[in-house]
Amino acid sequence: MPTPSMEDYIEQIYILIEEKGYARVSDIAEALSVHPSSVTKMVQKLDKDQYLVYEKYRGLDLTSKGKKIGQRLVYRHELLEQLLKIIGVKEENIYQDVEGIEHHLSWDAIDRIGDLVQYFEEDRNRIEDLKEVQQKNEDNDE
């Protein structure tokens, strides 16, 4: 299993390849706000662990194992963003909140969150009911 740091790299590499067709060390460094030397070290480790294939000066490509995990990590991130939007978390807090919690949840918890998001999205009245509860609670706090 990849560490949380490895997950961040795999997720970002997956996103870059999906968006641009490739992922360079400099692109990864910029996206993750880290030094290129740190990226090179991690990429070498991910290559050793068979998440990607890295050839110095030629670039990198995710293995099928890396693609599968990358896809799952992007799904997890997007799902948590959906949940936080549904429950009314302020837009400016969502990205940081997701970054703070995504590595601390089991895949079982992620699957249950998926069920919950589906539950709310299948009937928009449920979201409206939740907003009413939140409004009542805010009114009681004043």
Side-chain angles (χ1 to χ4, degrees):
M1 285 302 293
T3 65
S5 180
M6 291 166 78
E7 286 183 346
D8 286 339
Y9 278 84
I10 294 168
E11 180 180 9
Q12 193 57 57
I13 292 165
Y14 180 86
I15 290 168
L16 285 167
I17 290 172
E18 286 293 302
E19 289 176 354
K20 299 168 85 170
Y22 60 90
R24 297 180 315 204
V25 168
S26 59
D27 296 326
I28 300 164
E30 183 180 334
L32 295 175
S33 301
V34 297
H35 293 287
S37 60
S38 299
V39 175
T40 299
K41 284 180 191 170
M42 180 59 81
V43 163
Q44 289 168 342
K45 180 168 180 38
L46 293 169
D47 181 39
K48 182 176 147 274
D49 291 349
Q50 301 177 334
Y51 292 106
L52 56 81
V53 176
Y54 174 64
E55 294 179 43
K56 198 172 185 178
Y57 307 117
R58 301 218 42 209
L60 55 94
D61 197 19
L62 290 171
T63 62
S64 59
K65 173 181 170 182
K67 285 178 190 169
K68 183 178 177 185
I69 289 173
Q71 190 174 29
R72 186 99 163 119
L73 295 172
V74 168
Y75 165 77
R76 177 180 71 185
H77 190 99
E78 291 172 350
L79 180 68
L80 291 170
E81 282 186 357
Q82 276 181 281
L83 175 68
L84 295 184
K85 284 177 187 171
I86 287 170
I87 64 172
V89 173
K90 292 179 182 143
E91 193 70 36
E92 64 266 20
N93 296 330
I94 289 177
Y95 181 80
Q96 277 304 116
D97 287 348
V98 169
E99 287 296 310
I101 63 175
E102 67 183 340
H103 299 295
H104 301 285
L105 296 170
S106 68
W107 287 106
D108 180 44
I110 295 299
D111 290 341
R112 298 301 65 82
I113 289 169
D115 297 341
L116 185 61
V117 167
Q118 181 181 347
Y119 171 79
F120 278 111
E121 289 185 340
E122 283 178 351
D123 183 348
R124 298 307 243 170
N125 290 325
R126 294 171 181 153
I127 295 173
E128 294 306 315
D129 291 345
L130 176 62
K131 286 179 182 176
E132 286 178 27
V133 168
Q134 291 170 330
Q135 187 61 52
K136 282 184 207 171
N137 289 337
E138 285 178 20
D139 292 345
N140 288 338
D141 289 343
E142 293 175 358

